[in-house]
Amino acid sequence: MPSVKKNFKVEINYEYCKKCGLCYWICPTKTIIAGEYGKPEVPDHAKCIGCLQCEKICPDFAINVIEDGEK
């Protein structure tokens, strides 16, 4: 059986986010990057490997990584 890559979507709740930068600092694939004024942005969800490091390190519970079907 061939391995199937799962898709993930990184949701950022900007009402909770204080732009601390921990999420894009810890992201191993640079799915989350620093946008204008340090605001985290996700230009390409396909890069996410679902490691959940950003979700775990966020002190404000502003990040939710969800599985988004299969590729």
Side-chain angles (χ1 to χ4, degrees), residues 9-20:
K9 184 172 182 185
V10 181
E11 295 179 340
I12 301 172
N13 184 334
Y14 292 109
E15 290 185 25
Y16 295 163
C17 177
K18 65 182 178 201
K19 303 178 190 95
C20 68

Side-chain angles (χ1 to χ4, degrees), residues 17-67:
C17 177
K18 65 182 178 201
K19 303 178 190 95
C20 68
L22 290 173
C23 56
Y24 48 82
W25 172 78
I26 202 164
C27 182
T29 60
K30 301 302 175 203
T31 299
I32 304 174
I33 61 170
E36 192 172 5
Y37 303 113
K39 179 180 174 181
E41 294 179 357
V42 184
D44 183 8
H45 290 275
K47 292 171 69 176
C48 181
I49 59 173
C51 69
L52 304 179
Q53 292 299 315
C54 58
E55 193 176 288
K56 291 175 184 173
I57 202 168
C58 181
D60 300 309
F61 306 102
I63 299 177
N64 189 24
V65 178
I66 57 171
E67 193 172 326

